[in-house]
Amino acid sequence: MGKVIGQRLPLYDSYRHTTGQTRFTDDIYLPGMLFVKTAKIPVPHARILNIDTTGAERVAGVAAVITHKDVPNNYWGAFVQDQPVLPDKYVRFLGQPVVAVAAVDEDTALEAAEKVKIDYEELTPVFDPEEAMQPGAPEVHEGGNIAKFGGYDAMMVRLGDVEKGFAESDYVIEHKFHTAMNEHAFLEPHCSVAEADANGHITIYTASQTTSWHQFLICGVLAAPINTVRIVSGPTGGGFGGKSNPSTEFVVALLAKKTGKPVKWRWTREEEFLISTVRSADTFWMKTGFKKDGTLVARQIRYIQDTGAYNDFGTYGMMKLTSQINGPYRIPNVWFDGYVVYTNKQVTGPMRGYSITQSVSANETQMEIIAEMTGLDPIEVRRKNLVQDGDILPTQQVLEAVGVRETLDAVIKASNWYSK
Amino acid sequence: MSVQYFAPASVEEALQLLAGNSDYTLLAGGTDLVPRMNLRQIKVLRGLVYLGNIAEMKGITSHNDYIFVGALVTHSRIAASELIKEKAPNVWYASYHMGTPAIRNAGTIGGNLVNASPAGDSCVALLAADARVILKSRHENRLVPVKEFFVDKGRTVLNPGEILYGVQLPMAGQGIRKGSSYQRIGLLKGSSTAITNVAAEVEQDGEGVCQACRIAVGAMAGTPLRLAALEEALAGKKIDRDLINQVVKDVDAWINPIDDTYATAWYRRKVVKVLIKRALLEASGLEGSEGEV
Amino acid sequence: MEIAFTLNGLAVKVDVKPADILTDVLRQKLGVLSVKKGCETGDCGACAVLVDGELVNSCVTLAPTVAGKSITTVEGLIVNGEMDIIQRRLAEYHGTQCGFCTPGMVMAIKALLNGNPHPDEAEIRRAIAGNLCRCTGYQKIVEAVQSITA
Ligand SMILES: Cc1cc2nc3c(=O)[nH]c(=O)nc-3n(C[C@H](O)[C@H](O)[C@H](O)COP(=O)(O)OP(=O)(O)OC[C@H]3O[C@@H](n4cnc5c(N)ncnc54)[C@H](O)[C@@H]3O)c2cc1C
Ligand code: FES
Ligand code: FES
């Protein structure tokens, strides 16, 4: 064995972790630093009628109180700019921050936030995406609850002739699947610190999984040239996809600009569960046709992804999903319609195997059922249908350098599968 | 909010303090109280009386017909006590399996009782043990059966100005074979409050006839609960599998499970029957316990 | 109110409010930033420290209650510039990834080994059951401890 290959090498930062020297964003304390807490309303769907911040501003120790009026470009989003930094017209999920307060400490900020008066008209919420798609359902967004794909309601993918495929199949099975919402629950809650220099340029310390992306979005919201916003990505105390979009950063940047002081916003675990992004809960129908010998012939999917209150990465998630609807299997006839639907729940976003794990679980469940129905060995059914170089995915991608067969063989060998 | 802090060194001193300030909040291990403070659920906090310096409430002592456990004894101390493990195995099991190492090191048996959670582990074990609590105030000592201690979720018969001093665990009389079993199910193996928990004690004579039995369940009502109807159905009879299956069938009428983030009432209703059955089989000696750490 | 206690072998005096949690006092007043806030409800163990040798979650410990006691954090395990073997092995066995749970995890293992120098696997897992780690899956942590005790 060499000096490196075959050796167990500690990660470059791990001794700092074990000795407690790693400085996460919440470990940054700057002179004169202010702390943020927010005002919210106790319902998931409402029209905002009036926001009165005077009570909060009067609390001793409060440096600034901001609302949507203080945000240069309030609406942001990766694909659709539908998400307000601080809402002006509607609250669309429970716990959505409406007003942000910066004060000398968290207790003072909280006391002030409790004194903000938000008048609102409660609206009927909708939580189930299937319900949200029905005509007459409560509207999460004006203009309907179905996000658009280039003017269409659904992301559509077609390969071959699916009706012909089902007709040629010996068996056709169909199931409805429902997956659960997941919270990343990284140990380090969201936190960021912003400070403005003498020129008003902003430095934001944060635990971002996507530094440049943060900078791009934050500059948009602040209406600031890109050279005036610096992002320092510190160590990330777990991200798993959940730290891909800005969360606390817009507000601390705005407050640092307004007050000229360093500002920190740290979410509590309660806020993590209530307002951070989650993996979407999806509902879908998967119909698969196959031959007696286990060969897959056709697949039809109607897919509903619950994106929550805002689109965020939802459109992208649906596009990403379509590359995986066959899993690693060759299916010559495919018909897919995927809907991204708004509901009055917290926003969904990337999480480990973004958008893919949901359909993979359905795919492999059906493979097990197919093995049972055909009496074939579950590994053999899979092996028979594995993709290979030159195969075309439903998205028209032509595959090359496919290694799945070798991978499967290696796993079977390593796990001693056949002697279990 | 300005809060007064006191750390009395004796029960006398603590009671003296409470006599004039019955709205002060008592603090033992803090594992129930402090999370609620951090979540801003405690709206009024005038004074904190930390009991942790009162040595006489930290003892485990053996007496003629009972064992005394001070209210400040931590779950870790109980889990490490050979005496409790031998003489009150359910009380031992409850402490050994509750929470996490850090929670057991701080959390006390007294705090568990006064917190009166519907599925408090010590609460359920002490109910089935027929334990008595000693309540002290400036002018009075009260001995209250645990069965009469809980009023509602988070509420007990403890009066303002009173301190829970300790617990008495009665021991079985001569010639009685006492079997016991504690069953619990949680979301995680470590760290998690019970979805439901069951403690059973069965006293049998030489012939296997049930002389007395006590069955306590958690999360089946606003407070930990004794299932008196089941106990009566077993009393005076020779216990076998058929009898146990029979009485477990009737559980539904006597429970009203809580519905919360840990589990639904529907699930609790299903699972509690399985646990009661296991508990009775084990406590009556018909089945051994499953090995576990 | 002023309280005095021992922190990593040194006598300290600090001004606290009765309802301050120990985590905040250690982090903000005494600069012990290894003590993390993951939940503030006693559930995650990121804030775990030793109080008189026993593992305790500092977020559910009110600061005045540690008056006169002795507190140890990961900083205190470094003696004459030498790391504790737990700190070395966790790093070498990849028992730490993002590192946020790690200081609490180190203290939980320290508490275990202080009382039981040769724990079996079940005892190791029971000892770290209150320290949530979302990155490692625990296996590498267990292996790191086993490498010490084997
Ligand atoms: C992560 C976590 C996991 C947990 N897991 C479990 C579990 O698995 N099972 C379980 O049952 N519980 C569990 N708990 C709850 C808690 O740890 C226990 O109920 C514990 O026994 C409480 O004791 P304490 O000394 O910490 O109480 P404290 O928080 O100090 O006090 C609780 C209440 O009792 C009052 N009180 C305390 N002592 C006295 C006294 N002597 N006289 C009068 N009043 C008093 C206090 O005023 C307060 O209202 C868990 C808690 C956490 C944070
Ligand atoms: S922060 Fe203390 S246990 Fe999580
Ligand atoms: S290493 Fe990231 S939580 Fe444990």
Side-chain angles (χ1 to χ4, degrees), chain B residues 26 28-33 75 99 103 108 112 120-121 164 184, chain C residues 41-42:
Chain B
L26 298 178
T31 59
D32 274 316
L33 182 67
H75 295 288
I103 295 300
T108 63
N112 196 273
D121 278 300
L164 169 59
R184 96 194 279 277
Chain C
T41 48

Side-chain angles (χ1 to χ4, degrees), chain A residues 12-25 27-28 234-235, chain C residues 27 31-36 73-79 81-84 87 96 98-100 102-104 106:
Chain A
Y12 75 99
D13 55 357
S14 51
Y15 291 113
R16 296 181 60 79
H17 293 342
T18 62
T19 54
Q21 292 166 54
T22 306
R23 291 289 165 262
F24 293 89
T25 309
D27 299 333
I28 298 172
Chain C
R27 287 175 55 81
V32 185
L33 293 169
S34 67
V35 179
K36 302 298 180 205
T73 67
V74 283
E75 286 87 347
L77 299 189
I78 302 166
V79 180
E82 278 286 311
M83 282 182 243
D84 190 282
Q87 294 171 307
T96 171
C98 80
F100 203 79
T102 307
V106 169

Side-chain angles (χ1 to χ4, degrees), chain C residues 36-87:
Chain C
K36 302 298 180 205
K37 276 189 174 185
C39 69
E40 296 163 83
T41 48
D43 289 276
C44 77
C47 65
V49 302
L50 302 188
V51 176
D52 285 347
E54 283 197 346
L55 190 73
V56 163
N57 288 334
S58 63
C59 73
V60 295
T61 305
L62 292 187
T65 66
V66 303
K69 296 180 182 167
S70 168
I71 293 178
T72 313
T73 67
V74 283
E75 286 87 347
L77 299 189
I78 302 166
V79 180
N80 299 329
E82 278 286 311
M83 282 182 243
D84 190 282
I85 187 157
I86 300 166
Q87 294 171 307

